[in-house]
Amino acid sequence: MNLPKPPMSPLHDPSLLDDCVRDAVRRTCRGWLSAHVDDISQSTRLRLVSRVRERPALQLTRAYIRQAARHRAIDEVRHHQSRDAQRSKYELTVAPKPGPRDPESALINREVGGVIREQLERLPDARREAVSLFVDGHGITEIAQRLGCSRKRIDNLVYRGLATLRRELTARGVTPDTMAA
């Protein structure tokens, strides 16, 4: 007597697993996360395979795969938020904010920009270079690789450079309130 074969587990068929994971991640990832679908899919696949190795009796259903993809996407969002929080710790509080383009605001922004550039030029070379790259949007690790220094040294240079900039700009009367005009 021939019994019907049970449906194949996604783990036994790699292409089925890939399709299930990619579909689950695409459904979960919206907005800026959609750019990370491949990374999240790969991470989810690795997590599923290691989970099955830990517990061989585990059945990988589509619902389980969707849940794993959702949890991995949430982890990515949390990681991104912690990265933003770490970065904001060093951001300049006196950075020019785009405002109305009336002549008076444009003049104030030009004057404040000149003061910021002047104070930036007064920083020691290493701090100036690290702070400039950081303000341009480069991460601490990337700056360390670019300048050939340790990550800790760059972290220190950026922290001290921004602190000096804030202190000097505040002494010259450039505050966040000045920038709101």
Side-chain angles (χ1 to χ4, degrees), residues 81-176:
Q81 288 172 342
S82 71
R83 216 177 359 193
D84 285 349
Q86 184 72 17
R87 173 179 260 163
S88 69
K89 181 169 76 171
Y90 297 108
E91 285 180 352
L92 284 172
T93 58
V94 293
K97 297 176 184 150
R101 294 315 286 162
D102 62 75
E104 186 176 348
S105 293
L107 178 64
I108 290 172
N109 285 345
R110 243 181 283 134
E111 288 175 2
V112 169
V115 171
I116 291 172
R117 278 189 295 279
E118 178 185 323
Q119 291 303 321
L120 191 58
E121 288 299 317
R122 290 185 179 179
L123 289 175
D125 290 342
R127 284 187 190 171
R128 180 177 54 244
E129 195 168 6
V131 168
S132 296
L133 288 170
F134 185 80
V135 171
D136 284 341
H138 300 281
I140 298 294
T141 305
E142 184 181 352
I143 297 170
Q145 290 171 348
R146 184 178 266 194
L147 299 181
C149 298
S150 72
R151 190 178 186 290
K152 183 66 179 168
R153 174 159 169 70
I154 297 300
D155 194 38
N156 189 11
L157 289 171
V158 169
Y159 177 81
R160 290 176 184 264
L162 290 177
T164 302
L165 260 180
R166 274 190 216 100
R167 189 173 50 251
E168 293 298 321
L169 291 171
T170 302
R172 298 245 343 235
V174 178
T175 63

Side-chain angles (χ1 to χ4, degrees), residues 8 16 32 68 79 133:
M8 186 172 272
L16 184 58
W32 65 268
H79 178 71
L133 288 170

Side-chain angles (χ1 to χ4, degrees), residues 56-73:
L58 180 67
Q59 290 295 318
L60 286 183
T61 62
R62 288 187 186 274
Y64 189 86
I65 292 171
R66 277 195 298 272
Q67 182 182 16
R70 188 173 143 268
H71 286 291
R72 181 60 195 104

